């Protein structure tokens, strides 16, 4: 039935949330650094405890969890404290995908029903969606503001201050990266976002001209793209990136070589960890000694992927994330499939929040090749160490269906001159040494992989191309 304009209630963003109360609960920068950032482990645990129980209460109202938890025989009374967290059955992206298929985009992990709930100002963003339709996530004002506050904290921690220009070379579209960066910078740092987007939105040369003309102090982007941008500046435009105004590179560093990226730009690179569902979860401070988890908003576990038992410090496991703030779609023990390790010791900044060392790769990106587990990211790290390449690479998987499976690592040469044959043979040996499995290496001219990786066009760069024949069974 169509309702007339007069009686339709339109929710207003600024009336949909008690901002003062939210800021007391999740202090934005700089207040955060004199309050929550300084809590002891015990105080932090008490805060997490109370927020965790509230989040569990909300999750029990959501069909996805009622279904998932009932199937595992869990009752609402079973979880009485954070100590019981390990009893909650985890879920992964596969469970989310199954939940979307029934009534997209109102997947049953989103606890808002347009037929029942009062209208709320909502935002929809998605996962990258490399296969099939992208996975939607819907955010309420509370969800969104906490994510924005955390973006602001992280950037403040990495040196961003009011009136700084922050150039964001992440796609502006369905995925959260660029949009979320803009909201956080604008609302909670006083700095000015410059949304150049990916290379398809603003060509790389134009991105560099803008940095030069407007003097951006910080760049946000994927490290491979910022490396590409630095090389285009240096080698094609004859502009030395070190002489530009940039003093910080804000990236998901992973296994990318920090030292060479920093040397190229003459700027510090700070590692950051986040996802579409939760926004930023952890980030490095200027001491660069592991990424501080924002533990007032998340409980981050590093667990063995098979036994689900917690891993001791410095041992690699997969990330399970539990949100402590989300309303529309709380994430309770979401197995991110990202491989990391808890960092030991204390950071010089004095903060005692848990830290993770770095993200070593995504376990669902892992390829099992003749019995050996291979991460494309680990291959990239080895390629990056060979200065005869420019660090660009893509792994192509072939074979299957009776044929022996093989991987070819395609790399770009740094200069025109280097004989590709030497690089190919030596790099293949180096990879065999490091990974324990023989891969083919094929060197191509600089820029020759762009059509495969999408480097200059998208911020979702492809590192693995699977051309294997599916097994017919
Ligand atoms: Zn620190």
């Amino acid at each position: 039935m169509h309702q007339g304009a007069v009686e339709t209630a339109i929710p207003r963003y600024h009336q949909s949330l008690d901002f003062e109360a939210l800021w007391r609960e999740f202090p934005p920068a700089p207040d955060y650094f004199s309050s929550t950032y300084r809590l002891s482990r015990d105080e932090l645990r008490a805060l997490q405890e109370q927020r965790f129980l509230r989040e569990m209460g909300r999750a029990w109202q959501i069909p996805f969890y009622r279904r998932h938890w009932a199937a595992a025989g869990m009752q609402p009374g079973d979880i009485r404290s954070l100590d019981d967290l390990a009893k909650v059955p985890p879920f992964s992206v596969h469970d989310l995908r199954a939940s979307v298929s029934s009534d997209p985009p109102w997947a049953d992990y989103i606890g808002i029903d347009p037929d029942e709930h009062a209208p709320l100002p909502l935002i929809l963003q998605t996962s990258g969606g490399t296969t099939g339709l992208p996975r939607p996530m819907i955010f309420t004002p509370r969800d969104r503001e906490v994510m924005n506050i955390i973006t602001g904290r992280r950037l403040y921690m990495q040196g961003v201050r009011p009136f700084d220009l922050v150039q964001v070379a992440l796609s502006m579209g369905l995925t959260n990266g660029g949009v979320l960066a803009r909201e956080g910078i604008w609302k909670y740092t006083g700095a000015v976002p410059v949304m150049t987007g990916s290379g398809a939105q603003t060509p790389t040369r134009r991105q560099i001209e803008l940095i030069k003309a407007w003097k951006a102090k910080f760049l946000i982007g994927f490290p491979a793209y910022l490396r590409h941008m630095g090389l285009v500046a240096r080698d094609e435009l004859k502009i030395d990136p070190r002489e530009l105004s940039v003093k910080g590179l804000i990236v998901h560093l992973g296994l990318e070589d920090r030292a060479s990226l920093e040397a190229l730009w003459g700027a510090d690179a700070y590692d950051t960890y986040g996802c579409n569902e939760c926004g930023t979860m952890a980030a490095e401070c200027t001491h660069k000694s592991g990424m501080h988890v924002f533990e007032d908003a998340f409980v981050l576990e590093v667990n063995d992927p098979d036994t689900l038992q917690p891993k001791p410090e410095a041992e690699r496991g997969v990330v399970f994330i539990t949100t402590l703030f989300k309303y529309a779609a709380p994430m309770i023990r979401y197995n991110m499939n990202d491989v990391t390790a808890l960092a030991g010791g204390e950071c010089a900044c004095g903060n005692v929040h848990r830290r993770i060392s770095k993200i070593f790769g995504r376990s669902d990106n892992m390829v099992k090749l003749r019995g050996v587990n291979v991460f494309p990211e680990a291959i990239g790290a080895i390629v990056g160490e060979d200065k005869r390449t420019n660090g660009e690479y893509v792994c192509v998987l072939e074979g299957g269906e009776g044929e022996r499976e093989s991987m070819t690592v395609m790399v770009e040469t740094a200069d025109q001159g280097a004989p590709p044959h030497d690089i190919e043979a030596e790099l293949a040996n180096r990879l065999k040494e490091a990974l324990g499995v023989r891969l083919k290496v094929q060197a191509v001219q600089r820029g020759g992989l762009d059509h495969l990786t999408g480097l200059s066009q998208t911020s979702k760069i492809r590192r693995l191309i699977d051309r294997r024949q599916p097994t017919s069974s």
Side-chain angles (χ1 to χ4, degrees):
M1 215 170 19
H2 182 75
Q3 284 192 311
V6 176
E7 60 267 44
T8 303
I10 305 276
R12 291 187 188 168
Y13 193 80
H14 290 91
Q15 291 171 344
S16 62
L17 196 58
D18 181 343
F19 283 87
E20 295 289 342
L22 186 77
W23 295 333
R24 281 192 295 275
E25 208 183 332
F26 295 96
D31 302 358
Y32 169 71
F33 295 93
S34 55
S35 56
T36 314
Y37 198 71
R38 297 283 156 212
L39 293 181
S40 68
R41 289 282 342 148
D42 287 347
E43 291 165 326
L44 203 50
R45 180 80 180 182
L47 190 70
Q48 287 186 317
E49 183 76 63
Q50 169 214 345
R51 292 179 182 180
F52 169 66
L53 292 177
R54 182 183 58 190
E55 195 82 337
M56 284 298 294
R58 171 62 183 147
W60 272 112
Q61 300 172 341
I62 294 175
F64 174 81
Y65 288 108
R66 284 210 299 267
R67 192 160 49 78
H68 182 60
W69 291 344
M74 199 172 100
Q75 305 281 333
D78 291 351
I79 307 302
R80 295 184 179 176
S81 81
L82 205 42
D83 292 334
D84 296 328
L85 183 62
K87 296 181 190 163
V88 179
F91 67 94
S92 73
V93 67
H94 304 288
D95 301 296
L96 294 182
R97 270 192 211 124
S99 160
V100 183
S101 58
S102 51
D103 185 22
W106 303 96
D108 80 347
Y109 56 77
I110 295 163
I112 292 174
D113 183 344
D115 292 332
E116 279 184 19
H117 284 85
L120 265 175
L122 300 174
I123 279 184
L124 184 153
Q125 302 286 158
T126 73
S127 64
T130 36
T131 50
L133 277 183
R135 198 171 63 248
M137 181 52 72
I138 287 176
F139 303 97
T140 65
R142 174 185 171 85
D143 300 337
R144 206 67 193 171
E145 285 307 315
V146 175
M147 288 160 74
N148 291 336
I149 288 168
I150 292 173
T151 303
R153 289 175 180 178
R154 124 163 102 95
L155 295 177
Y156 188 90
M157 199 157 84
Q158 297 167 341
V160 174
R161 292 295 180 271
F163 296 116
D164 286 347
L165 260 60
V166 182
Q167 189 159 323
V168 183
L170 293 173
S171 298
M172 289 287 285
L174 278 173
T175 59
N176 227 337
V179 187
L180 194 61
R182 181 178 191 261
E183 286 177 37
I185 295 165
W186 168 41
K187 294 181 173 179
Y188 289 104
T189 69
V192 184
V194 178
M195 305 307 299
T196 47
S198 70
Q201 288 163 319
T202 307
T204 305
R205 286 168 175 245
R206 177 53 52 88
Q207 302 236 16
I208 297 159
E209 289 161 4
L210 287 172
I211 298 171
K212 193 172 177 208
W214 295 354
K215 302 175 188 62
K217 265 197 189 161
F218 293 87
L219 302 181
I220 300 184
F222 280 83
Y225 185 64
L226 298 189
R227 186 185 307 280
H228 172 71
M229 198 192 275
L231 292 173
V232 169
R234 190 189 72 187
D235 300 338
E236 294 178 26
L237 300 179
K238 308 297 174 200
I239 294 171
D240 186 345
R242 295 171 301 180
E243 283 165 16
L244 293 169
S245 47
V246 177
K247 62 174 213 175
L249 308 169
I250 296 167
V251 290
H252 293 275
L253 201 54
L255 292 179
E256 296 272 346
D257 181 33
R258 186 199 304 259
S260 64
L261 187 64
E262 291 187 332
L264 176 65
W265 280 96
D268 288 296
Y270 300 113
D271 202 359
T272 290
Y273 178 50
C275 69
N276 171 61
E277 286 83 5
C278 309
T280 302
M281 299 178 284
E284 284 184 329
C285 71
T286 49
H287 296 284
K288 302 186 230 180
S289 66
M291 294 181 270
H292 294 275
V293 178
F294 293 96
E295 285 194 283
D296 60 336
F298 300 100
V299 176
L300 187 147
E301 302 168 73
V302 177
N303 292 331
D304 185 286
D306 299 318
T307 66
L308 309 187
Q309 292 300 307
K311 283 286 193 185
E313 263 177 22
E315 276 187 33
R316 292 185 193 186
V318 292
V319 173
F320 283 20
I321 202 82
T322 297
T323 56
L324 300 176
F325 66 95
K326 287 189 79 188
Y327 181 78
M331 296 280 119
I332 313 282
R333 296 200 95 205
Y334 179 18
N335 178 354
M336 302 290 304
N337 268 312
D338 290 317
V339 178
T340 191
L342 292 170
E346 276 188 21
C347 185
C349 73
N351 171 279
V352 296
H353 286 41
R354 279 186 151 182
R355 293 178 348 274
I356 51 175
S357 56
K358 62 166 88 172
I359 301 297
F360 295 99
R362 285 192 65 95
S363 74
D364 51 5
N365 219 356
M366 189 181 77
V367 177
K368 209 172 179 93
L369 205 62
R370 303 195 283 282
V372 177
N373 294 334
V374 178
F375 286 111
E377 295 91 340
I379 291 171
I382 294 163
V383 171
E385 285 167 10
D386 191 322
K387 298 303 164 210
R388 292 168 301 178
T389 76
N390 65 357
E392 270 312 302
Y393 72 100
V394 64
C395 306
V396 182
L397 266 175
E398 281 159 316
E401 179 80 314
E403 237 183 278
R404 187 177 142 103
E405 291 189 348
S406 68
M407 185 187 275
T408 303
V409 181
M410 301 183 72
V411 302
E412 292 184 9
T413 54
D415 321 293
Q416 309 286 349
H421 211 75
D422 289 2
I423 305 179
E424 289 171 355
E426 286 167 32
L427 198 52
N429 288 338
R430 175 77 194 97
L431 288 166
K432 170 78 170 63
E433 222 172 76
L435 305 171
V437 65
R438 181 155 291 278
L439 312 173
K440 284 181 241 169
V441 175
Q442 189 187 341
V444 302
Q445 296 268 310
R446 191 159 147 187
L449 299 180
D450 197 81
H451 66 290
L452 294 174
T453 60
L455 179 69
S456 70
Q457 295 297 309
T458 163
S459 47
K460 186 108 186 162
I461 297 155
R462 290 221 297 172
R463 297 302 187 192
L464 180 67
I465 296 170
D466 194 346
R467 291 185 186 147
R468 286 175 298 184
Q469 299 297 319
T471 344
S472 48
S473 60

